[in-house]
Amino acid sequence: MIKKFGVLGEVDKLVERIEGIFGKKTVEKFLDKRKGLGRSRKVKIAQYAWKKPESTKRRVKRINKALDIAPYAATGAGTLAIASMLSGNNKENKSWV
């Protein structure tokens, strides 16, 4: 029972972290969506977290890790893209000579 409340707290912290990135309004709009007259995403997430706390804990951990790595991955990808463009330009220039 205590694990279930702990996992719900972790999900809440994750939501706050994502709100800091995308904005509270955007996150609320996303979580309040529903298919037809069914339950909202917020309710579905809460029910899943209550039903399967261990799985939810792993998912939250994986998402947090991805959010931690994202700035470094974006910087690395940008660097590689620039490097490939520069090397591509050099090869093209040499082929015309």
Side-chain angles (χ1 to χ4, degrees), residues 76-90:
T79 303
L80 288 176
I82 291 170
S84 67
M85 285 177 14
L86 291 175
S87 68
N89 287 340
N90 289 338

Side-chain angles (χ1 to χ4, degrees), residues 14 17-18 21 58-74:
L14 178 63
R17 185 172 180 189
I18 293 173
I21 297 169
R58 285 193 303 270
R59 285 179 180 216
V60 168
K61 186 177 179 182
R62 189 178 311 137
I63 293 169
N64 276 326
K65 190 182 293 185
L67 289 174
D68 290 339
I69 293 172
Y72 302 110

Side-chain angles (χ1 to χ4, degrees), residues 27-44:
V27 174
E28 284 298 320
K29 190 175 178 182
F30 175 78
L31 291 176
D32 288 339
K33 285 191 176 180
R34 60 177 73 207
K35 283 189 173 180
L37 297 174
R39 299 170 297 180
S40 68
R41 287 182 179 150
K42 189 185 307 185
V43 172
K44 288 179 183 178

